[in-house]
Structures are given as C-alpha cells and as structure tokens.
mmCIF file of all heavy atoms in Angstrom:
data_model
loop_
_atom_site.group_PDB
_atom_site.id
_atom_site.type_symbol
_atom_site.label_atom_id
_atom_site.label_comp_id
_atom_site.label_asym_id
_atom_site.label_seq_id
_atom_site.Cartn_x
_atom_site.Cartn_y
_atom_site.Cartn_z
ATOM 1 N N SER A 1 -11.099 -17.851 7.375
ATOM 2 C CA SER A 1 -11.596 -18.377 8.648
ATOM 3 C C SER A 1 -11.215 -17.476 9.820
ATOM 4 O O SER A 1 -10.070 -17.008 9.917
ATOM 5 C CB SER A 1 -11.032 -19.782 8.881
ATOM 6 O OG SER A 1 -11.372 -20.243 10.176
ATOM 7 N N LYS A 2 -12.147 -17.266 10.706
ATOM 8 C CA LYS A 2 -11.882 -16.481 11.908
ATOM 9 C C LYS A 2 -10.764 -17.103 12.746
ATOM 10 O O LYS A 2 -10.047 -16.383 13.459
ATOM 11 C CB LYS A 2 -13.142 -16.369 12.760
ATOM 12 C CG LYS A 2 -14.241 -15.515 12.159
ATOM 13 C CD LYS A 2 -15.483 -15.506 13.051
ATOM 14 C CE LYS A 2 -16.569 -14.616 12.471
ATOM 15 N NZ LYS A 2 -17.801 -14.618 13.310
ATOM 16 N N SER A 3 -10.612 -18.401 12.660
ATOM 17 C CA SER A 3 -9.615 -19.090 13.473
ATOM 18 C C SER A 3 -8.191 -18.865 12.975
ATOM 19 O O SER A 3 -7.234 -19.140 13.698
ATOM 20 C CB SER A 3 -9.906 -20.593 13.506
ATOM 21 O OG SER A 3 -9.744 -21.178 12.227
ATOM 22 N N LEU A 4 -8.038 -18.343 11.755
ATOM 23 C CA LEU A 4 -6.697 -18.136 11.187
ATOM 24 C C LEU A 4 -6.161 -16.748 11.509
ATOM 25 O O LEU A 4 -5.600 -16.065 10.658
ATOM 26 C CB LEU A 4 -6.724 -18.361 9.669
ATOM 27 C CG LEU A 4 -6.952 -19.803 9.225
ATOM 28 C CD1 LEU A 4 -7.067 -19.887 7.714
ATOM 29 C CD2 LEU A 4 -5.814 -20.710 9.724
ATOM 30 N N ASN A 5 -6.338 -16.321 12.740
ATOM 31 C CA ASN A 5 -5.771 -15.040 13.165
ATOM 32 C C ASN A 5 -4.406 -15.297 13.801
ATOM 33 O O ASN A 5 -4.247 -16.217 14.589
ATOM 34 C CB ASN A 5 -6.692 -14.323 14.149
ATOM 35 C CG ASN A 5 -6.961 -15.125 15.413
ATOM 36 O OD1 ASN A 5 -7.494 -16.224 15.347
ATOM 37 N ND2 ASN A 5 -6.576 -14.571 16.559
ATOM 38 N N GLY A 6 -3.413 -14.504 13.394
ATOM 39 C CA GLY A 6 -2.060 -14.703 13.910
ATOM 40 C C GLY A 6 -1.044 -13.969 13.068
ATOM 41 O O GLY A 6 -1.373 -12.984 12.411
ATOM 42 N N GLY A 7 0.174 -14.469 13.054
ATOM 43 C CA GLY A 7 1.240 -13.757 12.369
ATOM 44 C C GLY A 7 1.950 -14.546 11.297
ATOM 45 O O GLY A 7 2.968 -14.086 10.768
ATOM 46 N N ASP A 8 1.424 -15.718 10.955
ATOM 47 C CA ASP A 8 2.075 -16.557 9.961
ATOM 48 C C ASP A 8 1.485 -16.334 8.569
ATOM 49 O O ASP A 8 0.373 -15.806 8.426
ATOM 50 C CB ASP A 8 1.924 -18.039 10.337
ATOM 51 C CG ASP A 8 2.603 -18.381 11.653
ATOM 52 O OD1 ASP A 8 3.643 -17.758 11.953
ATOM 53 O OD2 ASP A 8 2.082 -19.262 12.370
ATOM 54 N N THR A 9 2.224 -16.769 7.554
ATOM 55 C CA THR A 9 1.724 -16.711 6.192
ATOM 56 C C THR A 9 0.409 -17.481 6.093
ATOM 57 O O THR A 9 0.304 -18.611 6.577
ATOM 58 C CB THR A 9 2.753 -17.312 5.210
ATOM 59 O OG1 THR A 9 3.959 -16.552 5.282
ATOM 60 C CG2 THR A 9 2.216 -17.279 3.789
ATOM 61 N N GLY A 10 -0.589 -16.865 5.494
ATOM 62 C CA GLY A 10 -1.910 -17.475 5.418
ATOM 63 C C GLY A 10 -2.838 -17.050 6.526
ATOM 64 O O GLY A 10 -4.052 -17.318 6.472
ATOM 65 N N ASP A 11 -2.306 -16.380 7.543
ATOM 66 C CA ASP A 11 -3.126 -15.853 8.634
ATOM 67 C C ASP A 11 -3.629 -14.458 8.286
ATOM 68 O O ASP A 11 -3.188 -13.825 7.328
ATOM 69 C CB ASP A 11 -2.300 -15.759 9.927
ATOM 70 C CG ASP A 11 -2.002 -17.106 10.545
ATOM 71 O OD1 ASP A 11 -2.649 -18.096 10.155
ATOM 72 O OD2 ASP A 11 -1.108 -17.169 11.412
ATOM 73 N N TRP A 12 -4.542 -13.969 9.120
ATOM 74 C CA TRP A 12 -4.908 -12.558 9.081
ATOM 75 C C TRP A 12 -4.510 -11.915 10.401
ATOM 76 O O TRP A 12 -4.467 -12.571 11.436
ATOM 77 C CB TRP A 12 -6.404 -12.368 8.806
ATOM 78 C CG TRP A 12 -7.353 -12.945 9.814
ATOM 79 C CD1 TRP A 12 -7.918 -14.194 9.804
ATOM 80 C CD2 TRP A 12 -7.901 -12.278 10.982
ATOM 81 N NE1 TRP A 12 -8.761 -14.361 10.878
ATOM 82 C CE2 TRP A 12 -8.779 -13.197 11.612
ATOM 83 C CE3 TRP A 12 -7.738 -11.007 11.540
ATOM 84 C CZ2 TRP A 12 -9.478 -12.884 12.778
ATOM 85 C CZ3 TRP A 12 -8.440 -10.689 12.701
ATOM 86 C CH2 TRP A 12 -9.295 -11.622 13.309
ATOM 87 N N ASN A 13 -4.154 -10.639 10.326
ATOM 88 C CA ASN A 13 -3.761 -9.928 11.543
ATOM 89 C C ASN A 13 -4.460 -8.580 11.633
ATOM 90 O O ASN A 13 -5.359 -8.289 10.837
ATOM 91 C CB ASN A 13 -2.236 -9.798 11.655
ATOM 92 C CG ASN A 13 -1.610 -9.074 10.475
ATOM 93 O OD1 ASN A 13 -2.303 -8.543 9.604
ATOM 94 N ND2 ASN A 13 -0.287 -9.061 10.426
ATOM 95 N N ARG A 14 -4.082 -7.776 12.602
ATOM 96 C CA ARG A 14 -4.791 -6.533 12.928
ATOM 97 C C ARG A 14 -4.079 -5.341 12.277
ATOM 98 O O ARG A 14 -3.056 -4.880 12.776
ATOM 99 C CB ARG A 14 -4.845 -6.359 14.457
ATOM 100 C CG ARG A 14 -5.601 -7.442 15.182
ATOM 101 C CD ARG A 14 -5.254 -7.529 16.665
ATOM 102 N NE ARG A 14 -3.889 -8.039 16.866
ATOM 103 C CZ ARG A 14 -3.356 -8.312 18.052
ATOM 104 N NH1 ARG A 14 -4.063 -8.121 19.153
ATOM 105 N NH2 ARG A 14 -2.127 -8.763 18.131
ATOM 106 N N GLU A 15 -4.656 -4.871 11.200
ATOM 107 C CA GLU A 15 -4.083 -3.741 10.477
ATOM 108 C C GLU A 15 -4.537 -2.421 11.077
ATOM 109 O O GLU A 15 -5.733 -2.187 11.288
ATOM 110 C CB GLU A 15 -4.501 -3.803 9.006
ATOM 111 C CG GLU A 15 -4.482 -2.477 8.248
ATOM 112 C CD GLU A 15 -3.079 -1.966 7.903
ATOM 113 O OE1 GLU A 15 -2.135 -2.262 8.667
ATOM 114 O OE2 GLU A 15 -2.947 -1.274 6.886
ATOM 115 N N HIS A 16 -3.579 -1.551 11.378
ATOM 116 C CA HIS A 16 -3.891 -0.175 11.781
ATOM 117 C C HIS A 16 -3.943 0.676 10.510
ATOM 118 O O HIS A 16 -2.916 0.970 9.919
ATOM 119 C CB HIS A 16 -2.820 0.365 12.726
ATOM 120 C CG HIS A 16 -2.808 -0.287 14.070
ATOM 121 N ND1 HIS A 16 -2.278 -1.547 14.282
ATOM 122 C CD2 HIS A 16 -3.269 0.149 15.281
ATOM 123 C CE1 HIS A 16 -2.410 -1.860 15.572
ATOM 124 N NE2 HIS A 16 -3.004 -0.853 16.192
ATOM 125 N N VAL A 17 -5.140 1.035 10.103
ATOM 126 C CA VAL A 17 -5.279 1.808 8.863
ATOM 127 C C VAL A 17 -4.576 3.156 9.013
ATOM 128 O O VAL A 17 -3.887 3.613 8.093
ATOM 129 C CB VAL A 17 -6.762 1.963 8.490
ATOM 130 C CG1 VAL A 17 -6.924 2.841 7.248
ATOM 131 C CG2 VAL A 17 -7.374 0.574 8.223
ATOM 132 N N TRP A 18 -4.753 3.814 10.156
ATOM 133 C CA TRP A 18 -3.875 4.940 10.486
ATOM 134 C C TRP A 18 -2.629 4.299 11.099
ATOM 135 O O TRP A 18 -2.658 3.823 12.225
ATOM 136 C CB TRP A 18 -4.534 5.896 11.481
ATOM 137 C CG TRP A 18 -3.715 7.146 11.682
ATOM 138 C CD1 TRP A 18 -2.485 7.250 12.270
ATOM 139 C CD2 TRP A 18 -4.056 8.474 11.259
ATOM 140 N NE1 TRP A 18 -2.039 8.539 12.242
ATOM 141 C CE2 TRP A 18 -2.984 9.322 11.631
ATOM 142 C CE3 TRP A 18 -5.151 9.031 10.609
ATOM 143 C CZ2 TRP A 18 -3.000 10.701 11.383
ATOM 144 C CZ3 TRP A 18 -5.169 10.390 10.360
ATOM 145 C CH2 TRP A 18 -4.102 11.212 10.741
ATOM 146 N N ALA A 19 -1.560 4.262 10.338
ATOM 147 C CA ALA A 19 -0.364 3.514 10.745
ATOM 148 C C ALA A 19 0.112 3.929 12.134
ATOM 149 O O ALA A 19 0.152 5.118 12.465
ATOM 150 C CB ALA A 19 0.748 3.732 9.722
ATOM 151 N N LYS A 20 0.494 2.927 12.944
ATOM 152 C CA LYS A 20 0.894 3.186 14.335
ATOM 153 C C LYS A 20 2.019 4.207 14.439
ATOM 154 O O LYS A 20 2.048 5.020 15.368
ATOM 155 C CB LYS A 20 1.347 1.877 15.001
ATOM 156 C CG LYS A 20 0.296 0.795 15.065
ATOM 157 C CD LYS A 20 0.740 -0.394 15.897
ATOM 158 C CE LYS A 20 1.950 -1.121 15.326
ATOM 159 N NZ LYS A 20 1.642 -1.814 14.060
ATOM 160 N N SER A 21 2.967 4.157 13.491
ATOM 161 C CA SER A 21 4.117 5.050 13.570
ATOM 162 C C SER A 21 3.757 6.500 13.283
ATOM 163 O O SER A 21 4.506 7.401 13.655
ATOM 164 C CB SER A 21 5.205 4.602 12.587
ATOM 165 O OG SER A 21 4.741 4.680 11.251
ATOM 166 N N HIS A 22 2.615 6.736 12.647
ATOM 167 C CA HIS A 22 2.192 8.110 12.342
ATOM 168 C C HIS A 22 1.538 8.705 13.592
ATOM 169 O O HIS A 22 0.321 8.865 13.677
ATOM 170 C CB HIS A 22 1.221 8.127 11.164
ATOM 171 C CG HIS A 22 1.849 7.775 9.857
ATOM 172 N ND1 HIS A 22 1.777 8.591 8.734
ATOM 173 C CD2 HIS A 22 2.583 6.706 9.479
ATOM 174 C CE1 HIS A 22 2.426 8.018 7.732
ATOM 175 N NE2 HIS A 22 2.927 6.867 8.172
ATOM 176 N N GLY A 23 2.354 9.004 14.549
ATOM 177 C CA GLY A 23 1.887 9.491 15.841
ATOM 178 C C GLY A 23 2.478 8.698 16.986
ATOM 179 O O GLY A 23 2.316 9.065 18.143
ATOM 180 N N ASP A 24 3.173 7.595 16.656
ATOM 181 C CA ASP A 24 3.906 6.814 17.650
ATOM 182 C C ASP A 24 3.019 6.378 18.809
ATOM 183 O O ASP A 24 3.395 6.457 19.979
ATOM 184 C CB ASP A 24 5.099 7.624 18.177
ATOM 185 C CG ASP A 24 6.085 6.762 18.955
ATOM 186 O OD1 ASP A 24 6.171 5.554 18.648
ATOM 187 O OD2 ASP A 24 6.762 7.295 19.859
ATOM 188 N N PHE A 25 1.797 5.865 18.481
ATOM 189 C CA PHE A 25 0.917 5.415 19.552
ATOM 190 C C PHE A 25 0.927 3.899 19.739
ATOM 191 O O PHE A 25 0.325 3.374 20.680
ATOM 192 C CB PHE A 25 -0.521 5.905 19.333
ATOM 193 C CG PHE A 25 -1.099 5.636 17.968
ATOM 194 C CD1 PHE A 25 -1.504 4.373 17.598
ATOM 195 C CD2 PHE A 25 -1.247 6.672 17.055
ATOM 196 C CE1 PHE A 25 -2.055 4.131 16.348
ATOM 197 C CE2 PHE A 25 -1.792 6.439 15.798
ATOM 198 C CZ PHE A 25 -2.200 5.168 15.436
ATOM 199 N N GLY A 26 1.602 3.187 18.852
ATOM 200 C CA GLY A 26 1.767 1.756 19.019
ATOM 201 C C GLY A 26 0.451 1.011 19.158
ATOM 202 O O GLY A 26 -0.520 1.299 18.461
ATOM 203 N N THR A 27 0.424 0.050 20.086
ATOM 204 C CA THR A 27 -0.784 -0.736 20.328
ATOM 205 C C THR A 27 -1.370 -0.456 21.705
ATOM 206 O O THR A 27 -2.143 -1.254 22.240
ATOM 207 C CB THR A 27 -0.484 -2.245 20.194
ATOM 208 O OG1 THR A 27 0.518 -2.616 21.146
ATOM 209 C CG2 THR A 27 0.013 -2.580 18.791
ATOM 210 N N SER A 28 -1.009 0.682 22.263
ATOM 211 C CA SER A 28 -1.532 1.049 23.576
ATOM 212 C C SER A 28 -3.031 1.344 23.498
ATOM 213 O O SER A 28 -3.543 1.776 22.460
ATOM 214 C CB SER A 28 -0.799 2.284 24.107
ATOM 215 O OG SER A 28 0.581 2.029 24.258
ATOM 216 N N THR A 29 -3.708 1.108 24.601
ATOM 217 C CA THR A 29 -5.145 1.369 24.656
ATOM 218 C C THR A 29 -5.412 2.828 24.317
ATOM 219 O O THR A 29 -4.844 3.740 24.916
ATOM 220 C CB THR A 29 -5.694 1.039 26.054
ATOM 221 O OG1 THR A 29 -5.433 -0.333 26.338
ATOM 222 C CG2 THR A 29 -7.188 1.298 26.119
ATOM 223 N N GLY A 30 -6.273 3.043 23.349
ATOM 224 C CA GLY A 30 -6.517 4.375 22.797
ATOM 225 C C GLY A 30 -6.488 4.270 21.288
ATOM 226 O O GLY A 30 -7.134 3.370 20.715
ATOM 227 N N PRO A 31 -5.743 5.117 20.599
ATOM 228 C CA PRO A 31 -5.687 5.030 19.140
ATOM 229 C C PRO A 31 -5.116 3.702 18.648
ATOM 230 O O PRO A 31 -5.452 3.255 17.548
ATOM 231 C CB PRO A 31 -4.798 6.206 18.730
ATOM 232 C CG PRO A 31 -4.039 6.578 19.962
ATOM 233 C CD PRO A 31 -4.951 6.250 21.100
ATOM 234 N N GLY A 32 -4.283 3.055 19.454
ATOM 235 C CA GLY A 32 -3.705 1.782 19.057
ATOM 236 C C GLY A 32 -4.665 0.617 19.117
ATOM 237 O O GLY A 32 -4.367 -0.467 18.584
ATOM 238 N N THR A 33 -5.822 0.814 19.766
ATOM 239 C CA THR A 33 -6.798 -0.274 19.888
ATOM 240 C C THR A 33 -8.189 0.151 19.426
ATOM 241 O O THR A 33 -9.171 -0.557 19.674
ATOM 242 C CB THR A 33 -6.893 -0.768 21.342
ATOM 243 O OG1 THR A 33 -7.379 0.293 22.187
ATOM 244 C CG2 THR A 33 -5.538 -1.243 21.850
ATOM 245 N N ASP A 34 -8.286 1.276 18.774
ATOM 246 C CA ASP A 34 -9.583 1.804 18.323
ATOM 247 C C ASP A 34 -10.035 1.014 17.096
ATOM 248 O O ASP A 34 -9.456 1.138 16.013
ATOM 249 C CB ASP A 34 -9.460 3.285 18.004
ATOM 250 C CG ASP A 34 -10.810 3.976 17.862
ATOM 251 O OD1 ASP A 34 -11.706 3.383 17.211
ATOM 252 O OD2 ASP A 34 -10.963 5.097 18.374
ATOM 253 N N ILE A 35 -11.090 0.204 17.239
ATOM 254 C CA ILE A 35 -11.482 -0.680 16.155
ATOM 255 C C ILE A 35 -12.200 0.023 15.009
ATOM 256 O O ILE A 35 -12.502 -0.610 13.997
ATOM 257 C CB ILE A 35 -12.315 -1.882 16.663
ATOM 258 C CG1 ILE A 35 -13.540 -1.424 17.448
ATOM 259 C CG2 ILE A 35 -11.438 -2.810 17.466
ATOM 260 C CD1 ILE A 35 -14.441 -2.580 17.877
ATOM 261 N N HIS A 36 -12.433 1.319 15.141
ATOM 262 C CA HIS A 36 -12.938 2.052 13.980
ATOM 263 C C HIS A 36 -11.887 2.112 12.872
ATOM 264 O O HIS A 36 -12.228 2.354 11.719
ATOM 265 C CB HIS A 36 -13.390 3.459 14.368
ATOM 266 C CG HIS A 36 -14.786 3.512 14.909
ATOM 267 N ND1 HIS A 36 -15.885 3.194 14.147
ATOM 268 C CD2 HIS A 36 -15.263 3.851 16.141
ATOM 269 C CE1 HIS A 36 -16.991 3.340 14.869
ATOM 270 N NE2 HIS A 36 -16.637 3.722 16.083
ATOM 271 N N HIS A 37 -10.596 1.912 13.197
ATOM 272 C CA HIS A 37 -9.579 1.903 12.140
ATOM 273 C C HIS A 37 -8.741 0.630 12.140
ATOM 274 O O HIS A 37 -7.787 0.526 11.362
ATOM 275 C CB HIS A 37 -8.674 3.145 12.232
ATOM 276 C CG HIS A 37 -7.502 3.006 13.163
ATOM 277 N ND1 HIS A 37 -6.192 3.061 12.722
ATOM 278 C CD2 HIS A 37 -7.448 2.831 14.509
ATOM 279 C CE1 HIS A 37 -5.371 2.935 13.754
ATOM 280 N NE2 HIS A 37 -6.099 2.788 14.849
ATOM 281 N N LEU A 38 -9.077 -0.335 12.967
ATOM 282 C CA LEU A 38 -8.396 -1.624 12.960
ATOM 283 C C LEU A 38 -9.216 -2.614 12.134
ATOM 284 O O LEU A 38 -10.421 -2.771 12.366
ATOM 285 C CB LEU A 38 -8.222 -2.141 14.385
ATOM 286 C CG LEU A 38 -7.035 -1.543 15.143
ATOM 287 C CD1 LEU A 38 -7.227 -1.658 16.639
ATOM 288 C CD2 LEU A 38 -5.753 -2.242 14.722
ATOM 289 N N ARG A 39 -8.563 -3.282 11.184
ATOM 290 C CA ARG A 39 -9.271 -4.197 10.286
ATOM 291 C C ARG A 39 -8.464 -5.477 10.075
ATOM 292 O O ARG A 39 -7.223 -5.452 10.114
ATOM 293 C CB ARG A 39 -9.500 -3.526 8.925
ATOM 294 C CG ARG A 39 -10.322 -2.242 8.970
ATOM 295 C CD ARG A 39 -11.767 -2.474 9.338
ATOM 296 N NE ARG A 39 -12.491 -3.218 8.327
ATOM 297 C CZ ARG A 39 -13.186 -2.655 7.324
ATOM 298 N NH1 ARG A 39 -13.231 -1.327 7.202
ATOM 299 N NH2 ARG A 39 -13.842 -3.407 6.453
ATOM 300 N N PRO A 40 -9.132 -6.592 9.823
ATOM 301 C CA PRO A 40 -8.405 -7.818 9.494
ATOM 302 C C PRO A 40 -7.792 -7.738 8.097
ATOM 303 O O PRO A 40 -8.469 -7.319 7.150
ATOM 304 C CB PRO A 40 -9.480 -8.909 9.564
ATOM 305 C CG PRO A 40 -10.783 -8.220 9.520
ATOM 306 C CD PRO A 40 -10.577 -6.803 9.893
ATOM 307 N N THR A 41 -6.524 -8.087 7.976
ATOM 308 C CA THR A 41 -5.847 -8.091 6.684
ATOM 309 C C THR A 41 -4.919 -9.294 6.592
ATOM 310 O O THR A 41 -4.452 -9.813 7.609
ATOM 311 C CB THR A 41 -5.001 -6.819 6.467
ATOM 312 O OG1 THR A 41 -4.065 -6.691 7.545
ATOM 313 C CG2 THR A 41 -5.850 -5.571 6.383
ATOM 314 N N ASP A 42 -4.657 -9.727 5.372
ATOM 315 C CA ASP A 42 -3.689 -10.790 5.150
ATOM 316 C C ASP A 42 -2.327 -10.339 5.670
ATOM 317 O O ASP A 42 -1.914 -9.186 5.483
ATOM 318 C CB ASP A 42 -3.606 -11.095 3.654
ATOM 319 C CG ASP A 42 -2.557 -12.141 3.350
ATOM 320 O OD1 ASP A 42 -2.843 -13.332 3.515
ATOM 321 O OD2 ASP A 42 -1.443 -11.744 2.941
ATOM 322 N N VAL A 43 -1.623 -11.238 6.335
ATOM 323 C CA VAL A 43 -0.342 -10.900 6.956
ATOM 324 C C VAL A 43 0.634 -10.302 5.943
ATOM 325 O O VAL A 43 1.262 -9.265 6.202
ATOM 326 C CB VAL A 43 0.265 -12.145 7.636
ATOM 327 C CG1 VAL A 43 1.727 -11.900 8.006
ATOM 328 C CG2 VAL A 43 -0.527 -12.518 8.880
ATOM 329 N N LYS A 44 0.761 -10.936 4.786
ATOM 330 C CA LYS A 44 1.729 -10.446 3.800
ATOM 331 C C LYS A 44 1.301 -9.110 3.203
ATOM 332 O O LYS A 44 2.131 -8.209 2.996
ATOM 333 C CB LYS A 44 1.932 -11.484 2.696
ATOM 334 C CG LYS A 44 2.828 -12.646 3.101
ATOM 335 C CD LYS A 44 3.258 -13.459 1.881
ATOM 336 C CE LYS A 44 4.325 -14.472 2.251
ATOM 337 N NZ LYS A 44 4.786 -15.243 1.073
ATOM 338 N N VAL A 45 0.016 -8.956 2.915
ATOM 339 C CA VAL A 45 -0.472 -7.696 2.355
ATOM 340 C C VAL A 45 -0.298 -6.569 3.362
ATOM 341 O O VAL A 45 0.084 -5.447 3.019
ATOM 342 C CB VAL A 45 -1.937 -7.824 1.909
ATOM 343 C CG1 VAL A 45 -2.476 -6.485 1.424
ATOM 344 C CG2 VAL A 45 -2.067 -8.878 0.805
ATOM 345 N N ASN A 46 -0.560 -6.863 4.622
ATOM 346 C CA ASN A 46 -0.361 -5.885 5.687
ATOM 347 C C ASN A 46 1.100 -5.444 5.732
ATOM 348 O O ASN A 46 1.404 -4.251 5.867
ATOM 349 C CB ASN A 46 -0.775 -6.500 7.027
ATOM 350 C CG ASN A 46 -0.848 -5.478 8.151
ATOM 351 O OD1 ASN A 46 -0.474 -4.323 7.999
ATOM 352 N ND2 ASN A 46 -1.331 -5.929 9.298
ATOM 353 N N SER A 47 2.000 -6.389 5.599
ATOM 354 C CA SER A 47 3.424 -6.064 5.615
ATOM 355 C C SER A 47 3.817 -5.178 4.439
ATOM 356 O O SER A 47 4.633 -4.260 4.584
ATOM 357 C CB SER A 47 4.238 -7.357 5.599
ATOM 358 O OG SER A 47 5.622 -7.084 5.556
#
C-alpha cells in the first residue's frame, strides 16, 4: 500500500540505490533526492 510509507517494520522507505555514503551526499537536494535512483523498498530489506 502507498500509505505504508515510513520507517517501521512492514513499511516501505526511500532506498538510495547509489548509497548515500558513497560520495557523502546524504539526503540533500541533488543526488540525495534524484528519483532516477530512489526506489521504494521494504524497511528491513533496505537495512
């Protein structure tokens, strides 16, 4: 469900396919928010 976005078990969150730490860009506007590499993933799988 689209409504299950968040950080709890059973939710989906925003996965940075190019990991944020690989370049230290975090979630700042730019590579950290570029939706060409941001995808919904299960919270636990993302972790």
Side-chain angles (χ1 to χ4, degrees):
S1 173
K2 291 178 178 179
S3 66
L4 291 176
N5 60 300
D8 297 327
T9 299
D11 288 345
W12 61 269
N13 58 7
R14 298 160 290 185
E15 156 74 330
H16 291 77
V17 176
W18 188 293
K20 299 188 297 292
S21 63
H22 291 235
D24 194 29
F25 50 75
T27 60
S28 299
T29 301
T33 63
D34 194 316
I35 56 176
H36 276 295
H37 86 117
L38 279 158
R39 300 292 293 268
T41 56
D42 177 81
V43 167
K44 282 193 171 182
V45 176
N46 191 353
S47 178

